[in-house]
Each structure stands twice: as structure tokens, then as C-alpha cells.
Amino acid sequence: MIKEKLEKWGQTQLLKFENELTEEEKTALYKQIEDLDFSYLNASGDDVPKGEITPIKAMTITEIENQRAKFEEEGLKILARQEVGALLLAGGMGTRLGSDNPKGMYNIGITKDVYIFQRLIENLLDVVKACGKPVPLFIMTSDKNHKATVEFLKEHKYFGYDENYIKFFMQETAPCVDLNGKILLEEKGVVATSPNGNGGWFNSLLANDEAKAMLEKFNIKWLNVFAVDNVLQRIADPAFVGATACGGYEIGSKVIRKVDPYEKVGVMCNKNGKPSIVEYIDLTEEMALQVDENGERAYNFGVILNYLFKVELLQEIKDKKLPIHIVTKKVPYVDENGQKVTPEVPNAHKFEMLCVDMIEFASSCLPFEVVREKEFAPIKNKTGVDSVESAQKLLIQNGYKL
Ligand code: UTP
């Protein structure tokens, strides 16, 4: 079976060191090969559907402020019925930050410990206090960081969150291939794999019995998906929930006004008349500078990976295939002589499905503007732009003690 699979996909090199392995290592390798989805190898990297891009209207801060009381009231009612789940995407490798631990374990405190996970959970606890009921919290990990994440949160008593309302589930992995499409070995008996991006989260949730049971038990109607790295974002934000639900949208997307027309951020738009996101590299100069009837820039609202999905929509689209993106990264591997190599330059392709690609399956999406300085402090790097330093500054500016 294993041999047939490897031959079919032209990947027999994975057994090159088979004879050097112990029986136990052999069994583990065979199991890994058997379980691994090789269909990623068919990806061309060019399967994101093309289409006619046109502007979409965002609900601006002024419009939100005018209706805030109504939105919050509605949102709090929905939250008090526990119909909103929060879903933390924490399966990434956080390679740019360069820590061996899961990104959420990173301590961003200055005079005291303040962990990224803690910051996010404390944000959510504000909402729990306001609506009077715990918000069911799902945490997606990957096989690379699951154990460390679960142990860390347990050790810190979930930073005050009721553990009965937290469910962890693991995302899937994809093989890492060299630049010629051959799957790499990370060890002589271990295939090199990486988490398959942040797009497959709903199916991974459903594949986990406990997480699925929590979804069903509370009859959760909305899932607020958010990234691990934005330490300022409001999660399960009542006004956002209220605005999305009252407006009859299938998705809400928190957006920020771009600082300049060329800012490197994905921007909300319509594609063939349906909501979508245009990546900054696909935004032409003409589009970047285009203005609407009010003289405002037409493609001016960037996404921050904080989306509210209607569960009905997720159930409808769960069998649809998301495009597979190919990214080129440095992946340590065992070469044909059995030597371990830590590459200095990118040497491998990884396969990823992305949450942004789910948006265009919906027929409606509300871009909901948030105040950038109050809700956007992503930690991607150690220093410089979108770093621990820049996030610390923003947190202090917002009154947080670090
Ligand atoms: P990023 O795109 O910033 O990736 O993830 P990353 O892996 O965290 O960081 P780098 O690129 O290696 O430095 C955005 C969000 O999506 C999650 C991340 O944990 C983060 O919350 N994510 C990313 C997953 O949950 N799974 C993945 O496979 C990739």
C-alpha cells in the first residue's frame, strides 16, 4: 500500500533510509506516509479564481458610532444566548518571530509577565463580563504546537477562563517539498510536514468530537475567527456581532483604513459581484488610487483576520475546495547522503489554504471599520514593523500595563 502510494506520486525517496530505521521508526514512518494527504502535490499555485474586481462599501466608524447603542444591545443579546463562538487560529509556525514555542506563549510584558494568549483571553473576558455568559472558545493548534499550547494554558489556569468552555482541535498538515516537487525528509524516518494554512479550520473543528459537540451543544450560530498575533483586537465584539447579524450578512470582517494607498494589506472588494479580498500585489496602481463618488479611496479598507462567519454558511460551504497557495520557505531536511541540512536560503515549498479565500463563498459580507490604533497591533516580527516592540507601544498607548 505504502509503496504503491509512493510510486504513484513519484515519491519513493521517502524510503531511502528505511533499512537504517528501527522497527518502531519504520512503523511510524509508514503510518505518517499513509495518513499524509499527497493531493497537495497537484497544486499549481495558480488556482485562486480570477474575476472582475470592484469596490465594496465599508461601514465606517462614523456610521457605526451613530448606531453603536443598537448594535451593542443586539450583539449582547446574541452573546448572552451563547450563539457566538470565538475561534483562535493558533496553528501557525510563527517563524518570523523566531521563537521555538507557540506564538501565544510569547511574553510581551516589560515589568511583569504578559503572554499573548493572556492578552487575548483577557480581551474576551471583557465580553464575558458584559454579556454575563462565557463565550465558547475554540483553539486551533497544529501537531507542531498542540501539546505545548494545551500544557501552557492549563498551567496558567486558562488565564481565568472557564475551562469547560474551551475546546482545542488540531488542524491538518501538508507535506513540504523541494523545489522540484519531491517531498523532503525531516529525519531519516520522518517526513517534513507543515500546518496546511489557516483556511481549513471549520472542517478541522468538525473532525474533532469534543469541539463539534460544543458547537452543537450551544447551537452556535456565529463563529468569530481571529489570529493569535493581534494583541489589541476585540473578540466577540458586541457591536460587530450586532451590526453583522442585524444587517442580515453572512460574514462580518473587521477592517482598518489603510495608512497609504499602497499599504501591504489585503483589501475588501467585490469579485464578480461577490465579496472578496484583493491582495496588495494584485491591486493595480489605478485601483490603489481610484476614488468613489465621495472622493474617498475606493480600495481603502484592509482586513485584519478577524471575521464573523455565520455557521449556516460554513455548513453549506464545508465541502468546497479552497485554492492551495504555494509558499517558498527554508525547511531543514536530510539530504540524499543522510546528512541533516539547515538551509540558508529558501529551499522548499509549503502548501497552504487561507481563511481569506473563504470569503468569496458568501453572498454578503460587512466590512466593519475599527479604529486602527485601538484594534490593530499584530506581532509578526521581533523588531521593526508589526513587532513585539510596535505592539508594546500600542498597548501602552491604550492604557495596558506591561
Ligand atoms: P501567519 O500568516 O502570520 O503565519 O498566520 P504564522 O505561521 O503565524 O507566522 P510566520 O508566517 O511563520 O511568521 C496568521 C494567523 O493564522 C494562523 C496563525 O497562528 C495566525 O494566527 N495560522 C497560520 C494557523 O492557524 N495555521 C496555519 O497553518 C497558518
Side-chain angles (χ1 to χ4, degrees):
M1 276 288 280
I2 302 283
K3 291 225 162 73
E4 269 169 37
K5 182 174 180 181
L6 293 175
E7 268 159 26
K8 177 179 160 212
W9 290 94
Q11 302 291 342
T12 47
Q13 78 284 356
L14 293 179
L15 295 182
K16 176 140 199 211
F17 306 105
E18 193 182 9
N19 296 336
E20 298 175 38
L21 304 177
T22 62
E23 282 311 309
E24 212 176 302
E25 287 168 336
K26 266 189 214 169
T27 312
L29 176 64
Y30 297 156
K31 168 105 179 66
Q32 202 193 2
I33 294 172
E34 195 180 325
D35 290 348
L36 202 58
D37 182 356
F38 278 22
S39 68
Y40 287 100
L41 303 174
N42 286 332
S44 67
D46 196 26
D47 49 0
V48 178
K50 303 263 181 290
E52 193 206 356
I53 304 291
T54 51
I56 190 171
K57 281 269 172 273
M59 185 181 274
T60 62
I61 289 165
T62 319
E63 290 168 309
I64 294 165
E65 285 314 314
N66 288 338
Q67 305 175 78
R68 180 169 289 279
K70 181 183 95 185
F71 289 156
E72 279 187 357
E73 193 189 323
E74 277 310 311
L76 284 170
K77 276 193 218 154
I78 299 171
L79 282 154
R81 293 199 298 268
Q82 293 179 303
E83 288 174 5
V84 181
L87 195 147
L88 169 57
L89 299 170
M93 300 280 279
T95 40
R96 283 169 286 173
L97 187 60
S99 160
D100 288 339
N101 285 328
K103 199 185 256 189
M105 282 173 63
Y106 203 87
N107 189 351
I108 52 169
I110 298 169
T111 61
K112 57 174 187 170
D113 292 340
V114 179
Y115 301 98
I116 293 181
F117 279 139
Q118 177 182 1
R119 250 323 12 272
L120 297 171
I121 288 179
E122 287 177 358
N123 269 354
L124 188 56
L125 280 169
D126 290 345
V127 176
V128 172
K129 209 166 145 202
C131 75
K133 289 274 181 64
V135 175
L137 171 61
F138 301 88
I139 301 180
M140 183 168 86
T141 60
S142 72
D143 67 341
K144 312 268 180 211
N145 69 13
H146 183 80
K147 194 164 171 273
T149 303
V150 174
E151 281 175 1
F152 177 81
L153 284 169
K154 186 165 185 215
E155 186 188 318
H156 287 87
K157 302 199 166 48
Y158 307 96
F159 296 106
Y161 216 81
D162 183 341
E163 67 174 296
N164 296 313
Y165 289 86
I166 301 182
K167 295 291 172 227
F168 296 90
F169 65 94
M170 252 196 269
Q171 69 172 98
E172 282 157 28
T173 50
C176 297
V177 299
D178 70 12
L179 302 180
N180 298 314
K182 294 286 179 198
I183 301 178
L184 292 165
L185 283 171
E186 179 181 309
E187 305 278 345
K188 287 183 178 171
V190 181
V191 181
T193 59
S194 69
N196 68 343
N198 59 26
W201 56 269
F202 189 63
N203 287 333
S204 299
L205 184 163
L206 294 182
N208 180 296
D209 289 344
E210 287 194 17
K212 185 166 178 261
M214 184 158 84
L215 187 79
E216 289 167 358
K217 177 174 168 201
F218 293 104
N219 194 11
I220 292 174
K221 298 203 164 56
W222 297 93
L223 281 170
N224 185 189
V225 179
F226 62 101
V228 72
D229 45 42
N230 180 4
V231 286
L232 265 185
Q233 67 190 317
R234 306 307 302 169
I235 305 150
D237 172 356
F240 181 44
V241 171
T244 308
C246 293
Y249 294 93
E250 288 181 320
I251 300 179
S253 164
K254 285 202 167 184
V255 293
I256 48 169
R257 216 168 267 256
K258 293 201 290 186
V259 280
D260 69 69
Y262 307 107
E263 186 180 354
K264 292 181 175 172
V265 51
V267 170
M268 286 290 324
C269 65
N270 278 315
K271 189 198 272 180
N272 296 333
K274 294 184 91 187
S276 181
I277 286 152
V278 52
E279 289 306 328
Y280 70 91
I281 30 169
D282 297 324
L283 201 67
T284 61
E285 164 107 25
E286 192 189 334
M287 286 159 80
L289 298 174
Q290 188 177 328
V291 288
D292 64 16
E293 64 281 3
N294 303 317
E296 302 276 349
R297 283 205 299 272
Y299 297 95
N300 204 21
F301 291 97
V303 288
I304 61 169
L305 221 181
N306 186 315
Y307 303 107
L308 186 66
F309 283 90
K310 197 169 194 173
V311 173
E312 253 171 45
L313 170 77
L314 293 167
Q315 296 284 10
E316 250 172 63
I317 66 175
K318 65 178 190 286
D319 298 323
K320 302 217 176 193
K321 286 248 172 300
L322 286 176
I324 293 169
H325 298 254
I326 299 179
V327 286
T328 312
K329 296 262 175 161
K330 288 187 246 176
V331 174
Y333 66 101
V334 171
D335 70 13
E336 64 269 32
N337 304 316
Q339 299 298 315
K340 274 202 179 176
V341 182
T342 307
E344 305 266 311
V345 288
N347 64 313
H349 288 148
K350 289 184 175 183
F351 301 100
E352 294 187 341
M353 290 180 289
L354 302 179
C355 190
V356 284
D357 291 323
M358 295 169 74
I359 307 295
E360 55 190 79
F361 291 131
S363 50
S364 61
C365 173
L366 171 68
F368 180 93
E369 187 188 4
V370 295
V371 181
R372 188 178 181 118
E373 295 71 25
K374 287 191 182 163
E375 282 221 35
F376 189 54
I379 298 178
K380 299 284 184 194
N381 309 300
K382 250 197 183 116
T383 54
V385 180
D386 295 344
S387 65
V388 177
E389 284 171 3
S390 61
Q392 284 170 331
K393 255 192 215 150
L394 280 160
L395 283 168
I396 293 168
Q397 208 171 294
N398 278 281
Y400 290 96
K401 301 259 178 302
L402 293 181

